[in-house]
Amino acid sequence: MNAEGLESFRDFVDSRSSALLKTAVLLCGGDRHAGEDLLQNALVKVAGRWQRIDEPEAYVRRILYRQQVSRWRLKWRRREVSVAEPPEAAAAPDAASAAELRLVMREALSRLTARQRTVLVLRYFEDLPEADVARLLGCSVGTVRSTTHRSLARLRVLAPELAALGPADAEELPSRDFSPAEVRP
């Protein structure tokens, strides 16, 4: 890579890494360390092809999705997750705020399978249509629809308190723009 390409790659990483990290952390079920590893591996792959890429962010996101799909296609899976700090105690149910709802949602997402979580992140966080999700994951649109349906049903079971939200409460929830600290487990 020449000096100009190296500089443009550094500029891209500086400007887009926080947004890409949010997606990677969500794809990894809220595990910040796994998300950082996922993003780092994607950026390593992109660096070698930087001069030939027309849309770098779309290319990096595609690599993130495909690497995550490869992870959950592995035959063995880790069943235990090591964390530096023990999980937080459950908050009092009468103090439901947007922060508590984010925690509930993050916990419920982390308990989904990697495939279910990936489909929900692509459909609702990235706001991609079913056809694009199917293309990225290498499956049919019907598979995306059924996985989305099963994933949402499982979320309702894992976090029934989310069903109690009314339309006004849902508007208080944060949109795509939240800090990586809010995503970190």
Side-chain angles (χ1 to χ4, degrees), residues 72-167:
W72 51 258
R73 284 186 178 161
L74 292 176
K75 293 187 182 200
W76 59 273
R77 294 194 176 133
R78 285 180 33 186
R79 295 183 186 234
E80 294 182 30
V81 177
S82 300
V83 294
E85 299 173 12
E88 297 174 0
D94 60 348
S97 68
E100 290 174 13
L101 291 174
R102 282 192 301 268
L103 291 173
V104 169
M105 179 59 84
R106 185 181 69 204
E107 174 64 26
L109 280 172
S110 71
R111 293 173 56 197
L112 293 175
T113 66
R115 181 182 189 123
Q116 290 173 327
R117 187 172 48 250
T118 301
V119 168
L120 290 181
V121 167
L122 291 175
R123 285 285 291 130
Y124 298 107
F125 180 75
E126 292 294 325
D127 199 26
L128 294 177
E130 292 169 338
D132 290 350
V133 174
R135 184 181 44 76
L136 284 169
L137 298 180
C139 62
S140 69
V141 173
T143 300
V144 171
R145 287 180 184 155
S146 63
T147 303
T148 302
H149 176 75
R150 284 192 307 274
S151 303
L152 291 174
R154 184 145 185 239
L155 267 181
R156 287 182 192 103
V157 170
L158 295 174
E161 55 273 41
L162 293 175
L165 287 177

